[in-house]
Amino acid sequence: CDPTINAVLKAITNACQALIANEVQLNELDTLAGDGDCGSTIKRGATDILDKCETWKALSIDKILLNIASSAEETMGGASGGLYSLFFTAAAGLAKDLNMATICDCLQAGVNAVSKYGGAEPGDRTMLDALTAAHSSLQNQIKKKSSPKEVAKVVSKACCDAAESTANMKARAGRASYVASNLLAKPDAGAVAVSIWIEAFAKTLAV
Ligand code: ADP
Ligand code: MG
Ligand code: MG
């Protein structure tokens, strides 16, 4: 099996397992600001991807990302199902290899698609806050020519910090925008979910 594809599938497996392990925490965060299902919604998608990814070994990276988009679309539902489907479909369009510059372009395309169709921007207390932080940080690390291990560490930290910082943001998108700001003292569930899978992904790809 192609080592690049092996690495991608390992990263996907670790990311899905990390998301599933955090189902309860993500549901609790979504209970404060929404309807309490973000963790379960993501777990449905992650479980479907884990079930299927054994059969993706002969595929190219772009086809693998399109399969992830289909899993999201078909099994998740909710706001995050649709948005993840858009994210991975857009990212797939540029996913030709595993170079950092390519991953950075894929992230940018995914962010643009989520923002275009979801109508939110960074600062609106959504998954976009964590995604844009990961993208800018990766862009910076590429400019600095940091080592892969350093890139993984710095990007994960930037993404986690951005997810945490949504606790201080006014919600302007999703169900949370209908909830009083003083009830939104904890971070956005969707942003925390992004930080979980980005960290798992980065850690796996950096070794
Ligand atoms: P819901 O139950 O409201 O349908 P989920 O629980 O699946 O949605 O996902 C909620 C998460 O989706 C939020 O925490 C937020 O990060 C993200 N989200 C919701 N609406 C948007 C949007 N318009 N743009 C970007 N992200 C959004
Ligand atoms: Mg929800
Ligand atoms: Mg829901």
Side-chain angles (χ1 to χ4, degrees), residues 78-157:
S80 39
L83 293 170
Y84 270 116
S85 174
L86 290 163
F87 178 87
F88 284 107
T89 302
L94 299 170
K96 54 181 170 32
D97 55 40
L98 264 189
N99 290 333
M100 281 187 220
T102 306
I103 296 175
C104 196
D105 290 345
C106 291
L107 266 175
Q108 174 79 76
V111 162
N112 290 348
V114 169
S115 185
K116 179 173 172 195
Y117 296 106
E121 283 173 24
D124 288 349
R125 196 185 202 274
T126 71
M127 60 194 273
L128 271 176
D129 292 303
L131 287 169
T132 49
H135 172 259
S136 327
S137 166
L138 179 54
Q139 218 169 19
N140 265 328
Q141 293 302 305
I142 291 171
K143 270 189 210 138
K144 283 190 175 170
K145 302 194 191 323
S146 304
S147 71
K149 276 225 161 68
E150 179 70 6
V151 175
K153 201 176 87 188
V154 174
V155 170
S156 298
K157 169 101 172 50

Side-chain angles (χ1 to χ4, degrees), residues 34-58:
D35 55 357
D37 62 359
C38 189
S40 304
T41 296
I42 287 177
K43 184 187 179 182
R44 272 198 305 282
T47 305
D48 189 58
I49 291 164
L50 281 179
D51 284 348
K52 289 176 177 161
C53 72
E54 275 291 299
T55 66
W56 298 347
K57 286 182 176 156

Side-chain angles (χ1 to χ4, degrees), residues 7-8 11-12 29 34 39 95 100 111 119 135 146 158-159 183 192 195:
V8 172
I12 290 169
L29 291 174
M100 281 187 220
V111 162
H135 172 259
S146 304
C159 190
L183 297 177
V192 172
S195 72

